[in-house]
Amino acid sequence: MRSFTSIVSRPAALFVGVALAFAAASASAATIKPTSIKNIVLVHGAFVDGSGWRPVYDILTRDGYKVTLVQEPLTSVADDVQATKRVLDTIDGPVVLVGHSYGGTIVTEAGVDPKVKALVYIAAHAPDAGETEVGNGQRFPALAQKPLKTPDGFLYLDPARFYQDFAADLPQKQAEFEAQSQMLTAAKVFSTPVQNVAWKTKPSWYMVAQSDRIISPDLERMYAKRAGSHTVEAKGASHSVYESQPKEVAKLIEEAANGTDPANANASGGSSPTPPDAWATNTAVYEQ
């Protein structure tokens, strides 16, 4: 005959199991503070599409955030900003807007939208008004080979060098696939001056990829310092840091979501010193 203790142990164990499961669920939900921004919008860069954000997306959605991706046409800055605004218009409530690489230029322009309360730059451009990516890049040269150009004015990275230049910390097979699935990008986007500068009025967070060959890490540091961004550096990270170090990227995004007052549209941004004449150099490689 079973003892009284053994008879009650199963219900007790069941109760404990349910309690532990509830506690785990509560702990996950607790990653979002009551005052946190719940909506995250992710903007990809040139030569890639939004699918590279999947590892970051999975972490953020697991932690309770509503995450939306922008699929830019990469045909012009205006088109890509409009694609981002189109997504912002579908969202109810305040937003953290995140950009990688060229996506940082789009975040800078589109981030003036009143729904956007914080900006996150992941190894991204953050130009000031009147600046272009190619102009800034010529002051802080990157190590990667220049893009190749189609007869109708679109750029792409040499597939033979994609792994080395864009994604050296990803599995090589994955990088090779991304090299062959590139989204060709209109050359003119890199020489289009920025008009609206959201980082001047919105708080920002910045991740520097220390081993980036597409954007010089020193240029990334300049962007972050000028914008007054909360800055972290990803050791050993390639330009594909959003794929190779998704936990660290998601952590920074969550810090932005938790560290921004959703009721405050304007927070202290960075400065905007006049760029030196040396920045205005030949951009013919990128222009149509």
Side-chain angles (χ1 to χ4, degrees):
M1 178 181 295
R2 292 179 297 168
S3 66
F4 177 79
T5 302
S6 66
I7 293 174
V8 298
S9 61
R10 288 186 178 180
L14 179 61
F15 175 80
V16 171
V18 170
L20 289 173
F22 179 79
S26 298
S28 177
T31 60
I32 301 182
K33 297 178 182 178
T35 57
S36 291
I37 296 173
K38 312 300 190 296
N39 300 305
I40 312 293
V41 173
L42 305 176
V43 182
H44 64 80
F47 312 121
V48 297
D49 64 13
S51 62
W53 281 115
R54 182 61 188 268
V56 173
Y57 170 92
D58 287 343
I59 294 170
L60 293 174
T61 54
R62 180 202 66 196
D63 289 347
Y65 294 91
K66 178 185 176 183
V67 184
T68 309
L69 281 73
V70 177
Q71 294 285 17
E72 303 148 87
L74 300 179
T75 48
S76 71
V77 170
D79 289 346
D80 296 335
V81 169
Q82 186 57 42
T84 303
K85 288 183 175 180
R86 194 175 297 121
V87 169
L88 291 173
D89 287 344
T90 69
I91 296 174
D92 183 19
V95 172
V96 174
L97 186 59
V98 185
H100 169 252
S101 191
Y102 161 70
T105 294
I106 304 309
V107 162
T108 298
E109 286 272 10
V112 297
D113 187 293
K115 286 184 180 179
V116 177
K117 306 302 182 182
L119 309 168
V120 182
Y121 293 91
I122 306 298
H125 286 283
D128 198 359
E131 292 179 359
T132 66
E133 290 190 13
V134 66
N136 291 351
Q138 286 171 339
R139 186 172 185 229
F140 296 88
L143 297 176
Q145 179 177 286
K146 294 293 184 183
L148 304 176
K149 193 172 185 179
T150 66
D152 62 342
F154 279 72
L155 299 180
Y156 64 101
L157 302 178
D158 183 350
R161 294 183 58 88
F162 190 94
Y163 173 66
Q164 175 184 348
D165 285 344
F166 198 94
D169 54 354
L170 293 182
Q172 187 165 352
K173 290 294 185 182
Q174 180 180 346
E176 290 172 352
F177 173 79
E178 292 184 6
Q180 300 300 337
S181 61
Q182 290 185 62
M183 286 188 66
L184 277 65
T185 303
K188 64 184 178 182
V189 306
F190 301 108
S191 57
T192 300
V194 165
Q195 298 180 15
N196 302 300
V197 185
W199 53 256
K200 290 184 179 179
T201 58
K202 309 289 177 78
S204 61
W205 281 252
Y206 199 108
M207 176 173 284
V208 174
Q210 288 189 348
S211 297
D212 200 332
R213 294 176 60 88
I214 298 294
I215 302 176
S216 166
D218 286 336
L219 178 54
E220 294 175 8
R221 294 182 183 106
M222 185 280 285
Y223 283 141
K225 182 177 180 181
R226 183 174 65 178
S229 304
H230 306 268
T231 306
V232 299
E233 298 215 356
K235 185 177 180 180
S238 77
H239 195 58
S240 294
V241 60
Y242 67 122
E243 295 179 275
S244 62
Q245 298 191 26
K247 291 181 181 179
E248 290 76 9
V249 171
K251 179 181 178 183
L252 188 66
I253 295 170
E254 293 189 13
E255 287 177 3
N258 290 323
T260 305
D261 180 1
N264 183 16
N266 298 316
S268 57
S271 60
S272 54
T274 302
D277 292 339
W279 292 37
T281 51
N282 180 22
T283 61
V285 174
Y286 291 83
E287 293 174 350
Q288 288 186 319

